[in-house]
Amino acid sequence: MKEHLIVSLDLNNLEDIKDLVKNLGDLVAFYKIGSIPFIYFGREIITFLKENNKRVMLDLKFHDIPNTVARTCEGALKLGVDFITLHTSGGFSMLEEAVKATLLYEDKKIPRPKLLGVTVLTSIDEAHFRDLFGDIKRSLSEQVLFLAGLARSAGLDGVVASPKEIKMIREECGKDFLIVTPGIRLKPGQDDQARTMTPGQAISAGADYIVVGRPIVKAPDPVSAAEEIIKEMESGN
Ligand code: C5P
C-alpha cells in the first residue's frame, strides 16, 4: 500500500528536504515537487530524488496556450519525471497538444510520463466556486466531472481530484483512468483544504494515489506520521 502514497515536498530548505527523504527511507517511494521546491531548487531537487531511486510527480499545473504547454511538457519529460500535472481548464487543445508532445518521444527510450489534469482545486468549496464563476449552471461536482471527461477525451492518463469526487470520476472515466487525490487529512477541518477525507476513506473510494504534504512534512515526527498514514491506508477506514 505504501507505493500508493505520494509525499508533497512543499518546503523551501534543501537540507530539510534531503534529511526528510533520507529519514523516510523505504517508507516513501514517490514524491511530489510543486512550485515551492521547484522555484527554490529547480532541476537539482529532481536529480536528487532520481539519484535516490524515487518516483517524481512534477506538479507545476501548466496552464497556458497549447504550444507553450506542449513544449513545456517536452522539457518536463526530459527531466525524467513520472507524472506531470496540467490544468484541465486550459481547454481541450491545450491538453491534446500536451499529450501529442509526450507521445513524440515514445520510441526514444525516454519513458513517457503520465499526464494528469487538475480539475477544481481541493481548497475551493461550493460557495467559493459560485463566487468565482457566478451563475454557472453546473455545480462544483458537475464541473469536476465535466473537466475529468475533457481530460480523458484529450488522451490524458488521469486527473488530480478531491477525495469526495473519486467515485463519480471512476464511474464516468473507468478503472484505468488514474485518480490522484490531495486533500488528505487524518482529521477534518485542518489548514486551507476544504474537500478532505482520511487516507483510508480515499483508498476505499478508489484513489490510485493519495498526496500528503503538511500532515507528514510539518509533523513533529514525519516518520511516525507517514507510518500512521500508511496504516490508515491499509485499514481502508
Ligand atoms: O499539505 P497538503 O497535504 O495540503 O498538500 C497537498 C498538496 O497537493 C499541495 O502541494 C497542493 O499544491 C497540491 N494540490 C492540492 N489540490 C489540488 C492539486 C494539488 O492540494 N487540486
Side-chain angles (χ1 to χ4, degrees):
M1 189 50 72
K2 63 184 185 186
E3 61 279 12
H4 299 275
L5 170 66
I6 303 178
V7 173
S8 186
L9 291 171
D10 297 320
L11 296 170
N12 60 10
N13 181 303
L14 191 56
E15 287 317 306
D16 287 351
I17 292 181
K18 288 185 174 176
D19 284 349
L20 184 69
V21 171
K22 200 173 118 225
N23 291 337
L24 289 170
D26 290 340
L27 265 186
V28 178
F30 212 151
Y31 286 94
K32 181 171 93 65
I33 294 298
S35 50
I36 302 175
F38 198 78
I39 201 79
Y40 278 92
F41 316 114
R43 291 163 172 250
E44 186 184 349
I45 185 69
I46 292 168
T47 309
F48 164 76
L49 290 170
K50 284 285 151 191
E51 281 172 0
N52 283 277
N53 297 316
K54 303 299 180 189
R55 300 181 76 199
V56 177
M57 170 174 173
L58 184 66
D59 183 29
L60 297 179
K61 303 186 180 68
F62 303 135
H63 188 178
D64 209 316
I65 58 172
N67 180 61
T68 303
V69 169
R71 304 290 76 79
T72 307
C73 285
E74 271 173 15
L77 167 146
K78 290 176 190 166
L79 284 174
V81 299
D82 300 276
F83 289 179
I84 296 173
T85 59
L86 23 157
H87 266 291
T88 49
S89 51
F92 185 83
S93 304
M94 186 203 88
L95 301 172
E96 195 185 34
E97 289 304 315
V99 173
K100 279 192 207 151
T102 56
L103 286 173
L104 280 179
Y105 288 82
E106 241 178 358
D107 54 349
K108 296 198 176 155
K109 297 203 168 64
I110 303 178
R112 184 183 166 269
K114 306 280 187 207
L115 294 186
L116 303 175
V118 176
T119 54
V120 178
L121 295 172
T122 43
S123 54
I124 294 180
D125 60 15
E126 190 75 45
H128 188 177
F129 178 74
R130 292 276 136 215
D131 213 31
L132 269 177
F133 295 105
D135 57 2
I136 182 174
K137 287 206 181 73
R138 295 183 199 120
S139 66
L140 194 159
S141 46
E142 284 166 348
Q143 178 70 354
V144 169
L145 208 53
F146 168 77
L147 291 171
L150 191 75
R152 201 176 75 137
S153 55
L156 262 64
D157 302 280
V159 284
V160 180
S162 131
K164 309 262 188 212
E165 288 125 21
I166 299 170
K167 276 201 170 134
M168 64 175 193
I169 295 174
R170 184 64 72 217
E171 272 167 29
E172 180 81 8
C173 298
K175 66 175 175 36
D176 296 329
F177 196 63
L178 284 176
I179 303 179
V180 177
T181 311
I184 300 297
R185 293 292 180 268
L186 285 166
K187 293 190 193 83
Q190 292 171 321
D191 313 319
D192 51 355
Q193 295 286 16
R195 308 195 318 275
T196 65
M197 266 192 193
T198 67
Q201 288 167 338
I203 293 292
S204 300
D208 293 294
Y209 294 89
I210 63 166
V211 173
V212 184
R214 287 162 291 182
I216 291 178
V217 305
K218 297 283 184 194
D221 180 352
V223 173
S224 315
E227 282 169 347
E228 192 184 346
I229 283 171
I230 293 164
K231 218 166 95 198
E232 249 261 5
M233 289 165 79
E234 282 162 356
S235 81
N237 295 309

